[in-house]
Structures are given as C-alpha cells and as structure tokens.
Amino acid sequence: DTAVSQTPKYLVTQMGNDKSIKCEQNLGHDTMYWYKQDSKKFLKIMFSYNNKELIINETVPNRFSPKSPDKAHLNLHINSLELGDSAVYFCASSHPGPGLGELFFGEGSRLTVL
Amino acid sequence: DQQVKQNSPSLSVQEGRISILNCDYTNSMFDYFLWYKKYPAEGPTFLISISSIKDKNEDGRFTVFLNKSAKHLSLHIVPSQPGDSAVYFCAARDDKIIFGKGTRLHILP
C-alpha cells in the first residue's frame, strides 16, 4: 500500500517533446513537493503546494508547470524538453506547519532526454 | 550556493564498527536538521532529526549530534550493519527542506 506513488518510473523521450509525471499520496498530507536530483546528485526543491495552492517555486523555468487537482495529487508537466532536464524527479508530501517537516518521498521518476 | 554540504562522497566502514557521517551548513536560520537514507531505485526515507535547540538526539543505533557554533552536524551509526549500506542525505529546514549531495556508505563484511 504505497504512501507516495509516482508514474512513470522511467521515461525516455526526445528533445522538444512534452511529458508529464503524475504523483499521488494517500497519507492525508496537505503539502506536496517536487524535487529534482540531477547528475551531480543534488536533491533540489522545485515546487511546493499546500492544499492545491502553490507556496514555493524555486525559480524553475516556466516550461515546468505543476498542477494539483486536489491535495492528494501533484502532477508535473514539462514542455519543450531539453537535455538538461534529464534527472530523477521525486515527489514528496508532508504535514504543513512548524512540526517535524518530515518528507515522505515517492520512488522517483527517471527522465532521460535524448 | 550550497547551504548544506556533505564533503565526503563516500565512506567505507567495517561491519560492527561505528559509522560517522558529517554535514556542514551555512545558514544560521535553519531550525531543524534531518537525515535521510536512500537505497538505489527508491526514494529517500526519513531516518532521524534534531531541533536546533538540542545538541543530541538518539534513536536506537542512530545518534545525531549538532554543534551550532561550528554549524556542523554528524550522524553516528553503531554498530554498523550490512543493511546500512546506502546513500545518506543531510537536510536542513528554514521555510523549506534543503538537502546536501549525500554520502554513500559501504559497510564491509
């Protein structure tokens, strides 16, 4: 019974294409995130949504558009893919507020742009 | 501009010995520090955390130490076990959680 699930797990596509990665959490959390782990292994936050509202956008190019249809889902759509977009994208969720801030991650989606 | 730094990309430790993973940070506004563990082809999983008002937190074989004056924290695993072989990410929180690059820990038989 996966807590944070994301699909697809692997994605290989050509430059210029548009692709989406879906994420769902069944933990009842209010806050969801997208993180990117690039070739240098840094795990960097891209977006954060709280109850369907965008609260963090870390100067990500506007080719990346997150969409949260409800608080259990946060999808990532990427337009006009570039070679530098190749990375592992992790979805995560957490309870908001001044608490522990523990993130629960999905398994990651490895995107390869050729 | 790395606010959270893990300067050792990898570490090898004999099974049964102590593993010490280090982390340095630059932002004095961080109020919480966390360690995550990651196996290949899986997402990071939370391991242990410490508030900035404490200097030590222990959970079983895992202990995290925080030295605020040095802006340094460390994760001690004792005794080290084969299942501890993984990548360990140090993370810190201000209004978001910021991760280091990770340290790959190899536990040798």
Side-chain angles (χ1 to χ4, degrees), chain A:
Chain A
D1 196 19
T2 307
V4 181
S5 59
Q6 48 185 116
T7 56
K9 197 165 182 177
Y10 299 97
L11 190 52
V12 181
T13 189
Q14 299 287 331
M15 277 176 56
N17 284 350
D18 304 338
K19 290 293 177 187
S20 292
I21 306 171
K22 295 185 176 182
C23 179
E24 175 182 4
Q25 55 95 4
N26 62 8
L27 297 167
H29 289 162
D30 289 331
T31 308
M32 295 186 72
Y33 308 80
W34 278 106
Y35 276 81
K36 177 182 179 181
Q37 187 179 31
D38 59 22
S39 58
K40 294 181 181 177
K41 303 302 181 187
F42 281 107
L43 197 59
K44 291 183 180 175
I45 189 168
M46 300 173 67
F47 299 102
S48 171
Y49 269 71
N50 180 254
N51 209 1
K52 302 193 297 176
E53 288 193 21
L54 179 69
I55 55 174
I56 292 176
N57 180 343
E58 285 291 301
T59 60
V60 177
N62 56 15
R63 298 184 295 106
F64 290 78
S65 52
K67 284 192 170 47
S68 182
D70 55 63
K71 74 175 192 176
H73 294 84
L74 181 61
N75 304 322
L76 183 64
H77 188 76
I78 315 171
N79 289 328
S80 302
L81 279 157
E82 300 177 357
L83 292 176
D85 298 332
S86 295
V88 182
Y89 292 85
F90 288 98
C91 178
S93 71
S94 72
H95 281 300
L100 182 60
E102 177 187 339
L103 295 171
F104 292 79
F105 283 91
E107 291 186 327
S109 297
R110 182 177 292 277
L111 172 64
T112 303
V113 182
L114 303 175

Side-chain angles (χ1 to χ4, degrees), chain A residues 9-10 35 37 40-43 45 56 58 90 97-103 105-107, chain B residues 2 4 32 34 36 38 41-46 49 89 93 95-101:
Chain A
K9 197 165 182 177
Y10 299 97
Y35 276 81
Q37 187 179 31
K40 294 181 181 177
K41 303 302 181 187
F42 281 107
L43 197 59
I45 189 168
I56 292 176
E58 285 291 301
F90 288 98
L100 182 60
E102 177 187 339
L103 295 171
F105 283 91
E107 291 186 327
Chain B
Q2 297 177 52
V4 179
Y32 236 103
L34 309 96
Y36 282 77
K38 184 183 181 303
E42 294 184 11
T45 55
F46 171 74
S49 66
F89 288 97
R93 189 186 76 175
D95 62 338
K96 56 186 176 289
I97 295 180
I98 298 170
F99 287 81
K101 278 178 72 168

Side-chain angles (χ1 to χ4, degrees), chain B residues 77-93:
Chain B
I77 307 173
V78 56
S80 299
Q81 298 176 354
D84 296 331
S85 293
V87 176
Y88 289 79
F89 288 97
C90 173
R93 189 186 76 175

Side-chain angles (χ1 to χ4, degrees), chain B residues 37-88:
Chain B
K37 177 179 179 179
K38 184 183 181 303
Y39 292 119
E42 294 184 11
T45 55
F46 171 74
L47 192 57
I48 192 170
S49 66
I50 187 167
S51 165
S52 60
I53 63 173
K54 297 192 173 182
D55 55 19
K56 178 182 174 181
N57 187 28
E58 190 173 350
D59 183 2
R61 296 186 298 114
F62 302 92
T63 304
V64 56
F65 294 92
L66 175 62
N67 181 336
K68 283 188 70 177
S69 60
K71 293 193 175 72
H72 178 84
L73 65 155
S74 60
L75 173 68
H76 292 212
I77 307 173
V78 56
S80 299
Q81 298 176 354
D84 296 331
S85 293
V87 176
Y88 289 79

